[in-house]
Amino acid sequence: MAGLLGKLLASIPFLFGWFLLTRGPFMMTSTAPSAAKPWADGPMQLIKSPLYLTKKTDLFTAGASHMCNLHNSILRGYNSIYHQAALVQDADKADFVGYALTWYKFVKSHHDDEEETLFTKVESLLKDDEIFKGTHEEHQAFLPGLAEFEKYLTSLKTPTDFSGAELLRIMATFQESFEKHFHSEIDTIAGFREHPNAPVPGTPEAANASATFASWGKKTVTKAGTTDVVPFFLLNLDHTAEDGLWANWPPIPAPIKWGLINIAGAWHSGWWKFTSCNAAGQPKELYALQFAKSDDKAKEEL
């Protein structure tokens, strides 16, 4: 009996690992987007990174470009929700609600972390507490609609009560202000290179400022949630964007990135069918679009 118990206990790590790996996003099949179907590059337009546009390498261009990658992951997430909301089948609604709420959690955590940490540090660096005045106002413009988005999804009695038409109605109330802000914030940060108090390149002050951006960028996603927000972020990163400039971004070891996607991501594996990219960072056809022609109810909601 003791021998049998020992074998059972010894097999637990193997069984647990097998369970996680079989649910990892790398196991999911995907198809490249078709030109005949919408993808996650609209309706909200993605942002071109300042580094790609200008080829400049100063700390604010680099910081704004890294922020751009975060923003584009969020924008692809929004677009993936927008295109699939009215087409989700009843059997998939629980997963879709989880996916959409993870987008909300990502955005809210990102906003809070900017307001509480990043902006304060940059204001201190540049000795100017007015530089984010417009950004604060832009945040206030979309927060009410974002709160309604979360309230609707968390107030559903059952996932099958989810209505794509209702979610799209709510999204329309903040789409314009949200898109405007996510674009303008990149321009704002990149523009700090011209600020009179900007650190001179090559100085200790510039190195410290660069380290501040890097440290904040590393922590802001992981602190939001390892098993939900991190996989969401990574599975909405397009490694082919801007001629592959960001194919190895974020700069974390490949085994760790693989684990964050496929092991951490296994906890909510059903959610990731709705992402815009696969586990390799390649754009994929949006899952629910396959129901666009066969689901009459979805057509009515659209």
Side-chain angles (χ1 to χ4, degrees):
M1 186 68 177
L4 178 59
L5 180 60
K7 290 180 179 179
L8 288 173
L9 291 174
S11 69
I12 289 176
F14 170 79
L15 293 173
F16 182 68
W18 175 84
F19 171 76
L20 291 180
L21 291 178
T22 56
R23 292 167 56 88
F26 81 103
M27 295 291 290
M28 298 179 183
T29 59
S30 63
T31 304
S34 164
K37 296 180 180 180
W39 186 65
D41 50 358
M44 285 199 190
Q45 295 300 303
L46 302 179
I47 313 163
K48 293 292 185 183
S49 72
L51 193 155
Y52 180 76
L53 292 173
T54 69
K55 313 307 179 191
K56 295 180 179 179
T57 58
D58 62 274
L59 74 93
F60 288 112
T61 297
S65 297
H66 296 162
M67 181 71 80
C68 178
N69 289 334
L70 280 170
H71 281 198
N72 278 337
S73 177
I74 290 172
L75 293 176
R76 291 188 194 95
Y78 177 98
N79 292 338
S80 66
I81 293 168
Y82 175 92
H83 287 303
Q84 297 179 93
L87 300 171
V88 178
Q89 307 295 284
D90 284 351
D92 292 325
K93 284 185 175 180
D95 285 334
F96 189 77
V97 169
Y99 179 73
L101 282 172
T102 301
W103 178 83
Y104 165 82
K105 184 180 178 183
F106 188 3
V107 174
K108 188 63 167 62
S109 177
H110 177 70
H111 160 269
D112 292 349
D113 204 23
E114 284 184 333
E115 293 278 358
E116 297 167 7
T117 306
L118 181 66
F119 292 172
T120 301
K121 290 184 176 180
V122 178
E123 288 169 349
S124 177
L125 171 71
L126 296 178
K127 301 177 179 63
D128 186 344
D129 59 6
E130 294 292 317
I131 54 176
F132 286 114
K133 182 179 179 180
T135 302
H136 293 308
E137 294 172 352
E138 290 171 3
H139 278 179
Q140 294 306 311
F142 69 76
L143 285 176
L146 189 68
E148 187 180 1
F149 180 96
E150 188 262 352
K151 181 179 179 181
Y152 170 67
L153 292 173
T154 56
S155 65
L156 295 170
K157 292 182 179 179
T158 67
T160 54
D161 290 334
F162 170 79
S163 164
E166 177 60 13
L167 189 67
L168 288 171
R169 182 196 68 76
I170 295 170
M171 292 168 74
T173 66
F174 65 89
Q175 179 174 308
E176 183 177 353
S177 58
F178 192 92
E179 181 177 14
K180 176 184 176 182
H181 163 67
F182 268 59
H183 281 253
S184 68
E185 186 174 277
I186 303 306
D187 293 334
T188 296
I189 295 174
F192 292 157
R193 63 176 173 265
E194 306 297 337
H195 194 281
N197 295 330
V200 176
T203 63
E205 291 78 11
N208 290 336
S210 181
T212 296
F213 270 115
S215 176
W216 181 85
K218 181 179 180 180
K219 295 177 181 177
T220 190
V221 177
T222 55
K223 71 188 293 186
T226 303
T227 62
D228 50 8
V229 172
V230 171
F232 185 104
F233 162 61
L234 293 173
L235 291 167
N236 281 294
L237 275 182
D238 177 7
H239 289 183
T240 71
E242 299 186 342
D243 302 322
L245 179 62
W246 307 104
N248 296 312
W249 193 90
I252 55 180
I256 294 178
K257 183 185 293 186
W258 189 94
L260 290 172
I261 293 173
N262 295 297
I263 297 179
W267 293 103
H268 302 295
S269 61
W271 300 358
W272 315 132
K273 65 171 73 77
F274 300 107
T275 62
S276 61
C277 299
N278 61 24
Q282 303 295 306
K284 70 179 183 70
E285 185 173 291
L286 299 178
Y287 168 79
L289 296 187
Q290 65 183 297
F291 306 115
K293 294 182 179 180
S294 61
D295 190 345
D296 293 333
K297 180 180 178 180
K299 287 183 178 180
E300 292 173 3
E301 289 193 339
L302 280 170

